[in-house]
Amino acid sequence: VQLQASGGGLVQAGDSLRLTCAASGRTFGSYAWFRQAPGKAREFVAAIRLNGNRIYYTDSVKGRFTISRDKFKNTLYLGMNSLKPEDTAVYYCAAGDPILSAVRASEGYRVWGQGTLVTVSS
């Protein structure tokens, strides 16, 4: 199983980007995006749990980011609108079968993409 993330880049505050994560191999129960800003720990951004099609976001991106998955293409997306400088980070996609209470925890995900850098200038 492999995940290949792409779509990052340098944008200005207020701009939009869409990240893509192409997956190969088996289907997992949950897919997520995490990010890591320079000098900071990796943090949860959004997740989609296929059982029940439940979606989760961290508070700082609610209303601006949208996670989605195309099951036919086995591809995960993260639409990002109204980007802010504090969104600057390396974004990672991940796949796994975390229990419901751990869907926001990185430990619940077994497979990780290589990361794509998003830089938002002010």
Side-chain angles (χ1 to χ4, degrees):
V1 178
Q2 288 187 328
L3 300 178
Q4 182 73 33
S6 62
L10 172 62
V11 297
Q12 294 186 334
D15 284 352
S16 299
L17 273 178
R18 188 176 77 160
L19 304 184
T20 298
C21 178
S24 61
R26 60 159 285 196
T27 298
F28 286 88
S30 295
Y31 293 82
W33 290 95
F34 289 78
R35 66 186 180 186
Q36 187 166 17
K40 295 187 177 181
R42 188 173 298 186
E43 66 170 352
F44 170 79
V45 176
I48 182 167
R49 188 175 173 90
L50 301 190
N51 186 3
N53 199 32
R54 296 185 64 174
I55 290 177
Y56 308 82
Y57 295 102
T58 192
D59 287 345
S60 63
V61 308
K62 284 181 180 177
R64 299 190 298 122
F65 289 12
T66 302
I67 187 172
S68 60
R69 179 177 176 268
D70 184 327
K71 64 179 181 180
F72 300 107
K73 296 181 179 179
N74 200 10
T75 299
L76 181 71
Y77 302 98
L78 184 68
M80 304 184 295
N81 296 323
S82 302
L83 282 162
K84 303 176 181 180
E86 51 264 43
D87 294 318
T88 294
V90 177
Y91 284 72
Y92 299 89
C93 54
D97 298 295
I99 58 175
L100 183 58
S101 61
V103 72
R104 294 178 173 85
S106 59
E107 294 78 9
Y109 296 88
R110 294 176 53 192
V111 182
W112 291 80
Q114 85 287 5
T116 184
L117 176 62
V118 173
T119 303
V120 184
S121 64
S122 58

